[in-house]
Amino acid sequence: MSKFYDKHGSSSDDSLSAFLDNEATLADIEQLLASDPMHLAQKVDRYQDIHQALQPDAEVLISDSGDFLAQMHRKMEQTTQESNVVVFPNQGALATKPEKLEQVHLPNLENNAPHTKRAFFSGLAVAASVAFVVVLGGNAWLSDDQSFSSNNIVTAQTSTIKPAQPLTALSAEEALENNERLQNYLRQHAQQASMTVGQGMIPMAKVVGYPQGSGQ
Amino acid sequence: MQHEASSDEALVKRVQTGDKRAFDLLVLKYQHKVAALVSRYIQDKQEVLDVAQESFIKAYRAIDSFRGESAFYTWLYRIAVNTAKNYLVSRSRRPPASDVELDNEDVHAVYSELSDAGTPDANLNRDRLEVEIQNAIQDLPEELRGALTLREFDGLSYEDIAQVMDCPVGTVRSRIFRAREAVEKRIRPIFGGGE
């Protein structure tokens, strides 16, 4: 068999001949896959020349299969590289999946001032709407005496809380007592908050000024 | 025909698993037929080559969607026809009113009137090449010439040729290959190749 191929070409050429005639076996395919593509391309061109000589009406459009194949590979690589570049809207390019983070072109926000302003105002509008709903909901909740029961909140101070009365109805002594209780509550709350929260504020902090010259 | 289906199918499966060399083989096999098909829509030779390459690239990218419900070449030809039509539309040219036939064998014969007919030197070389090939075929032994002619001119399958020539299919395959190699050896000097 090898003597046959020494005289008449390689076994891959034999496989190629059968392959082009739609008569290749799986063994031929394996043989061709292991062969040099450029050698095969050259052979295909010569076989095509022979085909054309026997089919005068056939036009040879591809005279260099190797070149055709190489050009196609270049175009494939080119389109692959282009499709891997991701550019966000307003940058005027394609937006497809990136393979690397470096290939992601972040949008230039400085050039999008009108868009940023619009986003700012729409955000402001949303925040205002949320605040309005919260205030409205809070008022509705406080005014709903039926659904609200102070007994549900159990604290040390709840037992001493008296029903709210108009200021005019309180005596001066009662008002003083109430105020003292409120201040006491606020102090306790603030101290608790300063222990548990980093940003807890210290109530009634006072900047004390010392008389100049004293203590020196 | 069974060989055709199985070899194309095997190559497509390999491409689907990422083997690019398998796709190169499919390109080598069908490039002339695809270019011939495209040339029925597009006159300019360079444009024909560009659209043919574009067709193969589209086929490669869509190969995962090919499920083997039709023959690979039918699928490929359909892509080529659509690519050619889209190309004409993108160039504001009208595609043909009726589709060309997607017949595998029919694509061999292209009656195209290409604007790029080639330079005088190229035409001279082409004429010289054809004369040399015709002489080489005439000089072949009878059994080789018969097998090659039945295949190339009449388009018969190896099995049909085996029946006509009353010999095994393997012998037909061998004869056709040897005939091609003998002719190729004769025309090699025209392309600057050595012995």
Side-chain angles (χ1 to χ4, degrees):
Chain A
M1 200 68 171
S2 63
K3 194 175 178 183
F4 171 81
Y5 287 124
D6 289 345
K7 194 177 175 185
H8 297 287
S10 68
S11 60
S12 70
D13 296 343
D14 179 24
S15 295
L16 183 66
S17 173
F19 178 66
L20 294 176
D21 289 339
N22 300 324
E23 301 279 356
T25 61
L26 293 178
D28 290 323
I29 297 295
E30 294 297 332
Q31 179 80 43
L32 291 172
L33 287 170
S35 305
D36 175 23
M38 287 302 122
H39 169 76
L40 294 180
Q42 204 174 27
K43 277 284 176 186
V44 167
D45 291 340
R46 299 294 82 79
Y47 289 172
Q48 185 63 22
D49 288 332
I50 297 167
H51 171 75
Q52 197 215 359
L54 289 167
Q55 292 270 357
D57 292 327
E59 182 74 37
V60 174
L61 295 162
I62 301 168
S63 54
D64 190 342
S65 297
D67 187 49
F68 182 85
L69 209 55
Q71 274 185 24
M72 196 194 71
H73 283 167
R74 273 199 297 275
K75 284 181 183 176
M76 282 169 95
E77 277 180 27
Q78 203 177 343
T79 51
T80 305
Q81 283 170 0
E82 282 171 5
S83 66
N84 282 338
V85 175
V86 173
V87 181
F88 284 83
N90 298 330
Q91 282 204 306
L94 299 170
T96 45
K97 58 179 178 183
E99 281 183 359
K100 292 180 181 175
L101 190 60
E102 297 80 46
Q103 290 173 320
V104 177
H105 296 221
L106 292 172
N108 186 356
L109 295 176
E110 289 176 5
N111 292 338
N112 297 328
H115 179 74
T116 312
K117 276 182 185 172
R118 195 166 57 240
F120 171 74
F121 284 118
S122 53
L124 199 66
V126 169
S129 305
V130 170
F132 177 73
V133 168
V134 167
V135 169
L136 203 67
N139 286 341
W141 182 67
L142 287 173
S143 63
D144 189 3
D145 292 333
Q146 300 299 320
S147 61
F148 175 70
S149 170
S150 60
N151 293 333
N152 292 335
I153 303 171
V154 181
T155 59
Q157 287 81 15
T158 49
S159 57
T160 58
I161 292 176
K162 293 177 181 174
Q165 290 176 353
L167 285 175
T168 49
L170 296 174
S171 64
E173 196 178 317
E174 283 177 313
L176 194 65
E177 188 189 338
N178 286 345
N179 187 44
E180 195 181 336
R181 207 168 62 240
L182 175 66
Q183 293 302 321
N184 192 35
Y185 165 72
L186 288 174
R187 246 195 319 275
Q188 284 179 359
H189 173 74
Q191 281 170 1
Q192 181 75 13
S194 65
M195 295 290 221
T196 55
V197 183
Q199 290 90 354
M201 65 178 181
I202 299 169
M204 291 167 285
K206 229 173 175 182
V207 178
V208 180
Y210 294 97
Q212 289 189 356
S214 67
Q216 287 193 4
Chain B
M1 203 64 181
Q2 196 176 354
H3 283 302
E4 176 188 351
S6 62
S7 66
D8 283 1
E9 196 180 309
L11 286 171
V12 167
K13 279 181 181 167
R14 278 177 171 269
V15 180
Q16 286 173 337
T17 56
D19 189 346
K20 285 187 178 178
R21 292 173 310 156
F23 191 73
D24 286 349
L25 281 183
L26 288 169
V27 174
L28 286 177
K29 183 175 179 180
Y30 290 113
Q31 57 182 344
H32 295 286
K33 293 170 187 173
V34 167
L37 184 66
V38 170
S39 73
R40 294 188 174 191
Y41 293 85
I42 298 165
Q43 300 292 303
D44 183 78
K45 186 175 179 179
Q46 188 53 51
E47 288 180 333
V48 167
L49 296 185
D50 286 343
V51 172
Q53 285 168 352
E54 185 66 27
S55 304
F56 280 114
I57 292 170
K58 282 183 179 176
Y60 180 74
R61 296 208 187 288
I63 198 90
D64 285 339
S65 67
F66 178 72
R67 296 275 170 259
E69 287 149 2
S70 62
F72 172 74
Y73 67 81
T74 307
W75 182 73
L76 177 65
Y77 289 179
R78 196 162 290 131
I79 290 175
V81 167
N82 288 335
T83 307
K85 282 181 176 179
N86 290 341
Y87 180 81
L88 289 178
V89 170
S90 73
R91 291 287 183 279
S92 303
R93 286 184 239 159
R94 187 192 295 269
S98 61
D99 275 347
V100 295
E101 288 293 316
L102 295 179
D103 186 341
N104 188 26
E105 296 301 325
D106 194 38
V107 175
H108 279 294
V110 181
Y111 301 93
S112 58
E113 296 172 1
L114 298 171
S115 60
D116 183 1
T119 61
D121 276 354
N123 288 339
L124 195 65
N125 281 337
R126 176 57 56 186
D127 291 344
R128 187 186 156 205
L129 179 66
E130 278 194 29
V131 169
E132 195 61 42
I133 290 171
Q134 293 292 355
N135 289 339
I137 290 170
Q138 288 306 315
D139 292 343
L140 287 173
E142 175 59 33
E143 72 271 14
L144 299 192
R145 187 170 68 245
L148 186 65
T149 308
L150 286 171
R151 173 63 211 157
E152 296 283 10
F153 192 76
D154 297 312
L156 296 188
S157 68
Y158 284 9
E159 201 173 325
D160 290 344
I161 296 170
Q163 285 183 358
V164 170
M165 299 187 82
D166 195 21
C167 65
V169 173
T171 305
V172 171
R173 172 179 160 140
S174 167
R175 284 177 181 175
I176 290 172
F177 170 60
R178 283 158 57 199
R180 281 174 174 154
E181 283 298 303
V183 176
E184 198 261 339
K185 196 175 178 183
R186 284 274 293 268
I187 63 174
R188 207 177 292 162
I190 296 174
F191 296 97
E195 289 289 309

